[in-house]
Amino acid sequence: MRMFDVCIIGGGPAGLKAAIAAGSQGLSVVLMDDADHLGGQLVKQTHMFFGSEQQRAGARGVNIAKELVEQVTSLVNVEVVLCTTALGLYDDLVLTYETEGSYRKLSAKKFIVATGASERMLTFPGNDLPGVYGAGAVQTLMNVYGVKPGNRVLMVGAGNIGLIVSYQLLQAGVEVIAIVEGGPSIGGYLVHASKVRRAGVPILTSHTIKEAVGVNCVEGAIVCELDSQWQPKSGTEQRIDADVICLAVGLSPLTDILWQAECEMVFVPELGGNVAYRDSTMCTSKPHIYVAGDVAGVEEASSAMVEGELAGLCAAKSLGVSGAHLTLQITSARSQLEELRSGPVGDKIRAGLLQAHR
Amino acid sequence: MLKKTGVATPEELANVLPSEGRLNRGAVAVLECFQNIPCNPCATSCPRHAIQEFVDINDIPSFDGDLCNGCAICVANCPGLAIFVIDETYSPDETLVKLPYEFTPLPASGDVVVAVSRAGDEIGHARVVRVQNPPVFDRTAVVHVAVPKALGHEIRFIKAGGPSRA
């Protein structure tokens, strides 16, 4: 069985930064992902990132992915395995995984789980019709494969993902009829909202989708207004013609392997659902398992990158790597996270983290 | 209301509009950034430090119009595409507006395009005067349009035609 110092599960922004951080300390690292390329959701992000220069603000996600992948591949002590799915993580430091149709094992002293999040679904009649997409699927089709998902889109959800994907659809030449948002106000950054609004997309707050209309595929949707108790207001139903209904209604941490490994978990709505308890080093209740990125709480990619770096550095420290530089890097990562989460848009995350920290 | 519709109110806009005196002296940035989010490339990209260094990354930009020469580097660098440059001294009857633009095909100078407001309404026509799209702008082009004076504070987008309907 192959042995590594650190095994990282998930090659998105958090996993890539964790691999670079641990690999730069000279440790033997394996980084695995179930996709056929690294980068996770970064490769679909064509917009400029927020944050500060330390998190590559102003650069586009897709370019950040390229840079991080280049850094990872330049580290000879970091092995990348793609098209590989982690299956089970055990107390004897063994990970089982599937690759090329076979079941295999490896061992590592420390594991960093950076599996990201999965999209939430919304229940409404007709939500199984072809043409109902998650926003991630729409981004994958457009931005990874260059395929238009349809011609007239109704977007559900005015968080950052709904707003950004609406803008990307417009850039691809797809019409976005409207963005409906159940809440009384826009959840995403207002600058994103202003961008799509001036490009002609109305944002209907306190509105939701009641049902999808269509026989063999989506032909439209019935949307209606919600009252302050989130109940449909009768008589406000209107039909919108569309061939795509795109759901951008939030993400939940993808924690299956943490449950299987029996990490102590806690349900924190502010972080998107169940997450593992972790200490200030991102270590879970299992001393060999760390978490980073959306699996530790749904946030922006900029925070995921810093958290990945922090987990990688702390895992290295726990394996005996030391030095003033390492201490400085850890301090810097922590202060960057604090800064990113310090403003009003970080209120929810800070409240959530208080419940998940031990 | 901005938080419900994505369109800033006149009161919000009044807070970020440079003084009349400054507008009368030529090209100047207008930072339509109203929310405390963790973001600072406007300040780090400004070569003249007109957008002051942030104390807290969640701050709203603090802008000194007297230091600004309207170069539009911040227009291309703002991740929120929320900065515009206005030059009311462009000509006796026209204002020059520099807008961020990320749609293809890019317009060319000389094109007449549809002027669009913050709410997405078509409000008239604009003449493209210049298109800046250097590699350092990383695909956020800055389009310079001349519009009748009355539209200078209204136009925030253009419809340039072509397959991507923008």
Side-chain angles (χ1 to χ4, degrees):
Chain A
M1 185 164 58
R2 302 211 39 208
M3 315 272 279
F4 296 90
D5 291 320
V6 180
C7 170
I8 297 156
I9 304 167
L16 283 166
K17 287 293 276 190
I20 294 162
S24 302
Q25 305 298 330
L27 300 173
S28 67
V29 176
V30 59
L31 171 63
M32 64 170 59
D33 198 283
D34 60 353
D36 62 359
H37 55 268
L38 289 172
Q41 302 304 306
L42 279 179
V43 301
K44 308 176 196 173
Q45 310 310 324
T46 53
H47 63 286
M48 289 185 269
F49 272 31
F50 294 75
S52 76
E53 280 176 334
Q54 284 166 298
Q55 301 97 38
R56 305 287 290 106
R60 298 180 193 279
V62 57
N63 293 352
I64 297 173
K66 275 183 205 148
E67 286 171 25
L68 296 182
V69 171
E70 273 168 29
Q71 287 177 45
V72 159
T73 44
S74 73
L75 291 163
V76 290
N77 49 322
V78 177
E79 185 174 327
V80 174
V81 284
L82 297 170
C83 305
T84 297
T85 307
L87 299 173
L89 181 46
Y90 301 92
D91 283 352
D92 58 0
L93 309 182
V94 168
L95 176 84
T96 59
Y97 61 98
E98 183 273 330
T99 195
E100 293 172 357
S102 66
Y103 179 80
R104 299 185 194 177
K105 290 191 272 188
L106 64 77
S107 179
K109 293 171 188 154
K110 299 288 172 186
F111 292 88
I112 299 172
V113 176
T115 44
S118 60
E119 286 188 279
R120 290 198 191 138
M121 186 62 187
L122 205 59
T123 45
F124 54 86
N127 73 356
D128 57 345
L129 281 173
V132 178
Y133 289 86
V138 165
Q139 279 194 312
T140 304
L141 278 176
M142 285 195 305
N143 303 350
V144 180
Y145 299 111
V147 175
K148 284 209 283 189
N151 294 308
R152 282 171 65 86
V153 177
L154 172 69
M155 182 66 65
V156 182
N160 273 337
I161 295 179
L163 296 171
I164 289 168
V165 175
S166 294
Y167 186 71
Q168 294 177 351
L169 282 160
L170 296 172
Q171 288 178 306
V174 177
E175 200 175 349
V176 181
I177 314 303
I179 301 174
V180 292
E181 162 61 50
S185 57
I186 294 163
Y189 291 168
L190 298 175
V191 285
H192 285 313
S194 299
K195 244 165 56 172
V196 292
R197 175 64 198 247
R198 64 181 183 250
V201 182
I203 301 170
L204 307 173
T205 48
S206 299
H207 277 71
T208 194
I209 178 167
K210 209 171 171 191
E211 62 179 272
V213 178
V215 182
N216 295 317
C217 60
V218 169
E219 293 164 25
I222 308 290
V223 304
C224 68
E225 205 177 327
L226 295 175
D227 64 21
S228 57
Q229 306 301 310
W230 292 69
Q231 294 305 309
K233 280 191 193 175
S234 62
T236 62
E237 291 86 359
Q238 55 171 313
R239 164 149 180 172
I240 290 178
D241 287 337
D243 59 0
V244 172
I245 294 168
C246 182
L247 302 178
V249 291
L251 302 170
S252 296
L254 198 58
T255 50
D256 310 59
I257 203 152
L258 298 171
W259 286 103
Q260 177 276 324
E262 299 182 328
C263 295
E264 283 180 47
M265 305 292 287
V266 55
F267 182 74
V268 184
E270 292 91 338
L271 300 179
N274 285 296
V275 293
Y277 280 112
R278 83 295 309 259
D279 65 14
S280 63
T281 70
M282 301 308 295
C283 187
T284 66
S285 61
K286 296 281 182 188
H288 62 296
I289 303 177
Y290 290 68
V291 284
D294 275 1
V295 73
V298 174
E299 267 188 278
E300 296 297 313
S302 22
S303 329
M305 289 190 281
V306 184
E307 231 175 37
E309 183 176 9
L310 178 62
L313 295 167
C314 291
K317 192 178 174 191
S318 75
L319 291 174
V321 178
S322 62
H325 187 57
L326 181 66
T327 310
L328 266 180
Q329 285 177 297
I330 290 174
T331 310
S332 159
R334 286 206 180 110
S335 66
Q336 286 179 56
L337 284 171
E338 201 173 311
E339 192 177 36
L340 286 170
R341 294 164 175 160
S342 66
V345 292
D347 287 350
K348 206 172 80 166
I349 295 299
R350 292 199 308 278
L353 289 173
L354 282 176
Q355 301 165 58
H357 265 289
R358 266 189 180 166
Chain B
M1 179 195 172
L2 182 59
K3 272 204 81 85
K4 285 190 182 294
T5 63
V7 184
T9 60
E11 295 73 40
E12 285 164 328
L13 293 169
N15 286 332
V16 296
L17 195 66
S19 67
E20 202 177 318
R22 177 61 192 86
L23 286 166
N24 289 336
R25 289 205 304 276
V28 63
V30 182
L31 287 72
E32 299 192 2
C33 178
F34 306 101
Q35 188 182 30
N36 297 88
I37 55 175
C39 183
N40 70 4
C42 58
T44 55
S45 69
C46 179
R48 299 169 68 90
H49 307 291
I51 304 168
Q52 280 132 38
E53 196 180 325
F54 284 34
V55 178
D56 179 334
I57 194 165
N58 292 282
D59 287 343
I60 283 176
S62 164
F63 176 64
D64 182 348
D66 291 334
L67 297 175
C68 174
N69 66 352
C71 73
I73 287 174
C74 58
V75 174
N77 276 278
C78 168
L81 308 192
I83 308 180
F84 307 85
V85 166
I86 293 186
D87 184 358
E88 297 200 325
T89 65
Y90 179 66
S91 81
D93 49 3
E94 284 180 318
T95 295
L96 184 81
V97 180
K98 304 181 187 178
L99 312 151
Y101 192 75
E102 298 185 324
F103 292 83
T104 54
L106 282 178
S109 50
D111 287 0
V112 174
V113 295
V114 177
V116 180
S117 72
R118 294 177 186 86
D121 297 325
E122 298 185 3
I123 51 173
H125 290 94
R127 195 177 78 253
V128 177
V129 173
R130 186 181 172 199
V131 177
Q132 290 177 281
N133 189 29
V136 66
F137 283 4
D138 189 19
R139 293 162 286 174
T140 303
V142 176
V143 177
H144 302 214
V145 292
V147 291
K149 282 243 183 285
L151 297 186
H153 295 303
E154 303 303 322
I155 179 175
R156 287 299 175 268
F157 192 61
I158 52 169
K159 286 186 187 171
S164 72
R165 64 185 272 280

